[in-house]
Amino acid sequence: MLGGWPLTDRATFDAIVALVRETDRAAAILACVLLEDHLERKLQRDLRHSDLFETLFGVGRPLNFFGAQNQLAYLMKIYGKPFYRELETIGSIRNKFAHLYSDKEGRFIKGFKSSVIAKLCGQLSLIEPLLEKELERKKIVSGDRRGLEMKEAEVKRILDDPKRKYLETCALCASALKGSLDSRIREAIWADTFPPPDFI
């Protein structure tokens, strides 16, 4: 809705299409991998062009991991603490799916509605204020009551469904890192405080 998945090539397109058909576990991992790819590309664009990049970011190297890349981007002041935390939460959700088959109570982690995953998805905080602002703008400019009701229902579905919220948040973050998101929204979600005082 706010920033769809940025398309870079055919393989990315196929991966994005697969998100809909995959199991919750596979979709969670794949969405984070797509996001991780955009984070690494953003770092590569912002760092000095050098063969050292592969030395640090190559397979098995110190910055080959999503968490380490997120920490580096934060330290480089690419984005503020709210975006950093959002990526941390996304990484935690991915890791739960990738490395655990049951929660602390011994219940099988079947999907996004499993309590441990749903709780983490509830911590995703960037998308809700953005969707609310989008609805406010729609109310101001729209005379189409039916269209507005459909939009409100769509926002509710996203926020109430942990999988939709996770996937939409991953897409939003990937769009911001790619540079394909509206610059005002990107600046807002990359601010040190979110939403910023002058949030439009």
Side-chain angles (χ1 to χ4, degrees):
M1 285 182 73
L2 293 161
W5 285 102
L7 298 175
T8 52
D9 52 36
R10 180 62 195 206
T12 304
F13 175 80
D14 291 341
I16 293 164
V17 169
L19 287 174
V20 178
R21 294 189 306 253
E22 292 294 343
T23 64
D24 283 5
R25 188 175 299 271
I29 294 167
L30 182 55
C32 190
V33 168
L34 287 165
L35 175 56
E36 185 175 4
D37 183 52
H38 286 290
L39 177 56
E40 185 173 318
R41 289 178 193 205
K42 171 67 175 156
L43 288 168
Q44 193 166 21
R45 287 192 307 271
D46 287 8
L47 292 169
R48 181 188 308 269
H49 181 71
S50 169
D51 292 338
L52 287 174
F53 190 87
E54 191 58 35
T55 303
L56 291 172
F57 287 82
V59 176
R61 308 308 276 169
L63 294 173
N64 179 240
F65 306 99
F66 183 61
Q69 291 174 11
N70 186 29
Q71 291 168 357
L72 177 62
Y74 173 69
L75 290 173
M76 290 173 61
K77 298 183 180 180
I78 291 173
Y79 44 73
K81 197 82 153 193
F83 195 86
Y84 166 77
R85 284 192 190 123
E86 200 82 341
L87 295 191
E88 272 193 325
T89 302
I90 289 168
S92 293
I93 293 166
R94 187 267 312 266
N95 288 343
K96 295 273 189 244
F97 274 119
H99 302 295
L100 296 176
Y101 63 89
S102 67
D103 62 19
K104 289 181 180 176
E105 286 77 38
R107 293 179 300 235
F108 178 62
I109 298 174
K110 188 174 183 179
F112 278 93
K113 293 194 176 162
S114 296
S115 61
V116 66
I117 302 296
K119 183 177 178 182
L120 283 169
C121 289
Q123 294 173 19
L124 296 171
S125 61
L126 292 181
I127 202 159
E128 188 167 352
L130 294 173
L131 291 173
E132 288 171 359
K133 272 297 180 194
E134 188 178 292
L135 268 179
E136 280 179 35
R137 281 195 294 276
K138 189 97 171 160
K139 286 176 185 173
I140 293 168
V141 298
S142 177
D144 177 15
R145 182 156 172 74
R146 181 164 160 67
L148 186 57
E149 287 171 356
M150 289 171 63
K151 187 79 161 179
E152 287 173 339
E154 177 66 10
V155 166
K156 185 167 175 22
R157 278 194 296 274
I158 290 169
L159 297 178
D160 290 348
D161 181 343
K163 182 177 183 176
R164 294 268 320 265
K165 187 176 183 185
Y166 174 82
L167 294 177
E168 291 283 344
T169 300
C170 287
L172 172 74
C173 294
S175 291
L177 292 164
K178 171 80 165 97
S180 59
L181 188 64
D182 180 288
S183 62
R184 292 168 302 172
I185 296 174
R186 185 181 67 240
E187 287 168 16
I189 65 175
W190 282 4
D192 287 322
T193 304
F194 182 78
D198 57 347
F199 186 49
I200 52 162

